[in-house]
Each structure stands twice: as C-alpha cells, then as structure tokens.
Amino acid sequence: MTKQQTLSGTWTLLRFMLRRDRIQIPVWFFSITLTILATLISFEELYPSEMDRQAIAGTMATPASIALTGPKLYLEDYHFGSMMSHQMLSMVGIAVALMSIFLIVRHTRKEEETGRSELVRASVVGRHANATAVLIFAIGANLLLGLIVAVGLGVTGVESITWEGSFLFGTAMASIGISFSGLTIVIVQLMEHSRAASGLSSGILAIAFSLRAVGDLGNEALSWISPIGWAQQTEAFLGNDWTPLLLSLFFTIVLIVIAYPLSNMRDVGAGLVRPRPGREDAPKSLSSPLGLAFRLQRTNLFIWSFALLLFGMSYGAFIGEAEEMFGALGDSLEGMLPEMSSGVLADSVAAMFMTVSAMFASIPALQSILRLRSEEKAGRLDSLLSTPVARKRLLASYLLIALSSSVVFLFMAGFGMGITGTQSMGDISYLPALTFAGLAFAPALWVAIGLAVFLYGLFPRKAGFSWAIVVYAFFVLYLGGALQLPEWLTELSPFGHIPSMPAQDFELVPLLALTGVALVLVVIGFIGYGRRDITN
C-alpha cells in the first residue's frame, strides 16, 4: 500500500472532526483565554506598585509555592509578565494538555471502541488517515489557541507584557498541548479502552507536573525531562529564550514516528497491551446493578480518591504561610476575595482552598452518574434491561455510587488538607475542622448530581450540560472578585451557599436547603427516566 493510499480520506475525516467539535473546542478556547486575561487584570489590582510585587515575590520563594507554581528564576524581577509565566504557565498548560488528551482519545480509541471506526475504514479511507487527521486537528487547535492567547495578552498594554513575551507565552503553552498530543497518539495504540488511554495519559501528565515541581525545588535536571518544565524554562517576558521549545518539537516528532508503526502492528479495535483474562465465574456482587455499576467505575473512583487526598495535602501545606503570603496585600485582597474578609486569615485561606477542592471533587462525582448515559449511548442498556432489572433500580444504583463517592472524595480532600494543615499551623484541631469543612460541601455536590439526573431523565441528549454548574462555580470563585460580580450571581452557584469553615461558623439551614433542591431534581429525573424511551 502506497503512502497516498494509507492517508486517503484524511481531509474528509478532519472536516468531520471539526464539525463534531464545533462547540467543544471553542468552549475550551474561551475558558482558557478568559482565565489568563482575567488573571492578568487581577494582578494589576492586587499588586499595583513595584513594592507590592516584590513583597509577594519574597513569599513565593517558599518550597510549597515553588512546587505549585514554577522555578525561582522568575522571582528575580517580579513584574506582571514574570508573574504570568511563573504562576499561570504551568496551570494553563495542564488545561491545554487535558484538552489535547481528550481530543485525541475521543477521535481515535473511542471511535474504535464503539465500532464506528471499523465502519469508516470499510470505505475509501487509509489506515493512517484517522490518526493523521486527529494529529493535524490537535496540533492546529493548540497553535490557534496559543495565537489567540498571545494576541489577547499583547493588546492589553499592561506594563511588561511585551509582544515577544506574549507570543512566547502562547507558544510555550501550546507546546505542552502538542507534546501530550504526541504522547496520547502513542498510548491509544497500546490501550484497548478509551478510559485506560485517558487515565494513563492523565497519569503521565501528573508525573510531568511532579517532575517539574521536584526539579524546581533543587534537582534541576528533573525539570528538563518534563514538557511543563520546558515551557517554563523559556523565561517568557524575562529572557525570552525560545530554544527549550526545540525539545518539545523533537519529543513530539519522535512520538509520532513511533505511533505509526505501532498502528500497523495491531487490529482495529484492539490494543497492543492485551487486557488480562478475567475470572471463570463472575463474583456474586456482579449479579446486582449496584455491583456492576461499582465494578465499572471502581478504578476511576480509587484514582480520584487518592488524587484528592494528595490535592488536599498540597493545599494544606500553604495554610501556615497565609499570613506571610497574603498579609502584605492589605485591603486589596478583600476586593478580590470577599469571602476572606472576616476571621483569621489562615482560616479564610483554608476555607478558600477547601472550596477549590470541593469543586474538583464534583468532577468524578458527575462522571459517575453520567456513566449511565455513556452506557445508554453505547447500546449496552438494552440487553441489561431485557433481564428482570427495573430501569429505576438501575438509575438508583448509579445515583447511590455518585452520592456515596462524593462524600468519600470530600472526606479525602478535607482529611488530606487537615494532615498537612495541622503540621503547617502547629495545631492538631485543624485535622477535624478541615475534615468536617470538606464534608460540609456534600449538599453542593448533590445538587450537581441532582441536575445531572434531572437532565438525563428528561433530556438525555442534554445531560452533558450538567457540567455547567461546575464551570460556573470555578468562574465565580476565581473571577467573581476581579469582575466585581453582584452577590446574586455568586449565589446562583450551590457552592456559594456552603459556610466557609473554619473561617465561619457552621450553618445547618443552607445545607438542608441544598439537600432539598437536590432531592427535587432527583425525583423529577427519576419520573422522566421511567417514562421515556431508551435511546442509542
């Protein structure tokens, strides 16, 4: 087969992918660009003078701060540009990498898993057409996003935000996404299922972030084996060194060269890493819908539980440094973060960190309930419901997993934050206080789950819109103060009604109200699910 034949249909498939993601990709672009520009605006308000910027530079030199943000090289001249590269490049790089991972998996392994790829390959489509099309799509999307961000930063006219630095920042950010596009195109050749491919790629992303963090703390060589580290070593807005991006280019090319031969070594729908054979007899737990629901999700639940424990521990290490990190900001902090205007500053920071942790905990909780929609779309519910299994019992099983796991996720985040928070503050009382503060967010997560059940029961094709409640919560938390949003907009988020413990006293009424809202949404969703048809 000639090279031309193996790539036949590439541009047709690319147009099809663009058509399918015409909403999803612009949402990614808008969210990432808005976050970057809003952060730059907030920096102007928080640190108006050079004295303010140098004061925060001193507090950002702690090991915990460096591990979370970036290397010390940006702290030497801490103007707005270096602040953006130091604090934002790593964080938005993670978002861009996740966008690339999900895009590659969605158009490759997911298509093979559902059988659609085999139908497409039955027409005049070359063996490598799909992989080539998705690579063009992913690389092009990252470059376009980098260009949008660069232009957006450049036109702000903020002091020290130069055009060269803006384009380097955008290119460095895009390089992280492009590197993980190349990595994921290799992984989808190895894994047989899309969940495994997404999980392994995301796990390597976490390792890359950890290597960068450890390297920046002392062993600099480790930073140079991470795509995130390469992006930060460009010194955007400072030295403006483009050469580290050559490593990202080389890394991506090598992975793409590896991926194509691997594709020739496997069948469509199969992976090079074969799954281990299962037991001869199914365990008794799989005889119930609840047992099956847990079995399908247990790996994801365990991974997220451990991740949230580490996430809470990393945030807890900052609590003891709250006075030093934020004390110099004075009244400007209150304007940006109004929820921190009362109580001990360390307690207020802990409450803010707990809110962020709870929002992250809502992601796997929603994934858990929306898994049933994925099973329905794949056509697997028909055979299951043909047995003596009531559809409402099936929905109840997934709902129970989602509700109970949300409590576990919040406990792990609060407990992890309490472990390191206790050491950071030298006060053992922070362990039960932060653990309880995490559990208090359970009703907010239940409202998000209830909305998912409501949409799935009445409007199954719109079930994915339940993610809007999480996106809006992040938007209000991070940008509400900077944009001076009115209080009623903040209260549209269920997370805004949870008492900010330990800075505030516990209040039972809002938790009961949120629980009631979640219950109403769930009941309506169950009624709708019982009356509608099962669709594929």
Side-chain angles (χ1 to χ4, degrees):
M1 184 178 290
T2 66
K3 180 180 178 181
Q4 184 177 2
Q5 289 174 322
T6 61
L7 298 179
S8 297
T10 298
W11 299 111
T12 302
L13 288 174
L14 177 59
R15 290 195 298 271
F16 179 60
M17 292 174 185
L18 291 170
R19 175 70 173 79
R20 288 184 63 190
D21 287 357
R22 67 190 184 280
I23 296 176
Q24 189 176 88
I25 294 300
V27 169
W28 278 102
F29 282 18
F30 177 78
S31 302
I32 293 172
T33 305
L34 179 63
T35 300
I36 292 172
L37 297 181
T39 301
L40 178 59
I41 294 172
S42 70
F43 282 164
E44 279 194 295
E45 296 188 14
L46 279 172
Y47 317 108
S49 68
E50 184 178 353
M51 183 180 298
D52 294 328
R53 295 190 287 272
Q54 295 311 312
I56 195 64
T59 62
M60 294 298 288
T62 62
S65 299
I66 292 172
L68 191 64
T69 54
K72 290 182 179 179
L73 58 90
Y74 290 102
L75 300 177
E76 297 174 0
D77 184 12
Y78 215 49
H79 49 65
F80 292 124
S82 55
M83 290 173 70
M84 287 296 297
S85 295
H86 183 234
Q87 299 188 34
M88 291 300 297
L89 191 52
S90 177
M91 295 303 171
V92 297
I94 292 175
V96 172
L98 289 173
M99 177 190 75
S100 304
I101 290 170
F102 296 151
L103 189 154
I104 295 288
V105 173
R106 169 179 165 83
H107 291 291
T108 54
R109 178 51 60 188
K110 188 68 174 179
E111 292 297 289
E112 294 187 35
E113 192 175 45
T114 58
R116 291 190 291 264
S117 183
E118 193 169 0
L119 292 175
V120 172
R121 288 279 297 276
S123 60
V124 187
V125 174
R127 182 174 186 87
H128 299 314
N130 191 73
T132 304
V134 75
L135 278 172
I136 295 173
F137 186 10
I139 294 173
N142 280 287
L143 291 176
L144 179 59
L145 175 59
L147 178 61
I148 293 172
V149 168
V151 173
L153 287 172
V155 299
T156 59
V158 175
E159 177 190 351
S160 74
I161 302 295
T162 63
W163 278 104
E164 182 183 1
S166 298
F167 278 103
L168 180 54
F169 182 95
T171 306
M173 180 191 69
S175 73
I176 300 174
I178 292 172
S179 296
F180 278 92
S181 297
L183 177 69
T184 308
I185 202 66
V186 172
I187 290 177
V188 295
Q189 313 304 326
L190 304 177
M191 301 292 104
E192 187 166 337
H193 300 288
S194 59
R195 292 194 307 275
S198 299
L200 181 57
S201 300
S202 302
I204 295 177
L205 173 60
I207 292 173
F209 182 85
S210 301
L211 287 173
R212 193 280 311 158
V214 175
D216 290 344
L217 287 173
N219 191 351
E220 189 176 346
L222 293 177
S223 297
W224 284 96
I225 57 177
S226 167
I228 300 175
W230 302 335
Q232 290 194 317
Q233 292 297 327
T234 57
E235 300 183 41
F237 300 109
L238 281 176
N240 291 331
D241 185 3
W242 292 78
T243 53
L245 299 184
L246 294 176
L247 290 172
S248 178
L249 178 62
F250 178 75
F251 179 74
T252 305
I253 292 175
V254 169
L255 289 171
I256 293 175
V257 170
I258 292 173
Y260 280 93
L262 291 180
S263 178
N264 288 327
M265 297 168 60
R266 66 178 183 87
D267 294 329
V268 176
L272 292 175
V273 178
R274 303 296 300 171
R276 63 182 179 85
R279 297 169 44 173
E280 271 188 42
D281 301 318
K284 199 169 184 181
S285 60
L286 291 181
S287 61
S288 68
L290 180 61
L292 177 61
F294 177 74
R295 176 64 181 82
L296 292 173
Q297 303 179 62
R298 66 180 184 182
T299 302
N300 191 55
L301 297 178
F302 290 151
I303 290 174
W304 270 101
S305 296
F306 182 68
L308 284 165
L309 175 67
L310 296 181
F311 191 76
M313 291 176 69
S314 65
Y315 266 144
F318 280 90
I319 297 175
E321 302 171 4
E323 294 287 347
E324 183 181 358
M325 290 180 64
F326 298 114
L329 300 182
D331 296 334
S332 61
L333 185 63
E334 181 177 347
M336 293 301 300
L337 299 169
E339 70 273 15
M340 297 175 62
S341 59
S342 62
V344 180
L345 184 57
D347 290 348
S348 300
V349 172
M352 181 187 67
F353 286 163
M354 187 55 66
T355 303
V356 176
S357 301
M359 291 178 187
F360 276 107
S362 66
I363 296 174
L366 276 178
Q367 286 178 334
S368 183
I369 190 65
L370 292 176
R371 176 62 188 269
L372 186 58
R373 172 58 184 162
S374 300
E375 294 294 306
E376 181 176 344
K377 288 173 63 177
R380 291 188 283 266
L381 290 192
D382 293 332
S383 56
L384 185 61
L385 293 175
S386 64
T387 64
V389 175
R391 61 166 63 188
K392 289 185 178 180
R393 183 186 175 195
L394 181 63
L395 178 57
S397 299
Y398 279 83
L399 176 62
L400 181 60
I401 295 292
L403 294 176
S404 57
S405 64
S406 66
V407 176
V408 174
F409 295 145
L410 291 171
F411 171 80
M412 297 297 281
F415 185 70
M417 194 178 297
I419 293 175
T420 52
T422 293
Q423 297 175 344
S424 178
M425 293 295 294
D427 186 351
I428 191 64
S429 65
Y430 272 86
L431 180 59
L434 291 175
T435 302
F436 183 68
L439 292 173
F441 278 92
L445 268 66
W446 294 345
V447 171
I449 294 170
L451 178 62
V453 174
F454 174 85
L455 292 174
Y456 175 61
L458 273 67
F459 313 102
R461 295 180 184 274
K462 307 298 182 184
F465 283 98
S466 54
W467 288 108
I469 198 170
V470 180
V471 174
Y472 184 76
F474 274 106
F475 172 78
V476 169
L477 176 67
Y478 282 106
L479 304 180
L483 300 178
Q484 297 297 308
L485 296 178
E487 186 176 354
W488 68 269
L489 280 177
T490 304
E491 292 180 349
L492 287 178
S493 169
F495 294 89
H497 296 275
I498 304 297
S500 299
M501 297 183 291
Q504 298 177 354
D505 295 331
F506 172 73
E507 295 181 35
L508 182 61
V509 174
L511 304 188
L512 292 177
L514 289 174
T515 304
V517 171
L519 181 61
V520 171
L521 291 171
V522 166
V523 170
I524 297 175
F526 265 79
I527 294 173
Y529 184 65
R531 293 179 177 178
R532 70 171 178 84
D533 293 331
I534 299 297
T535 59
N536 297 333

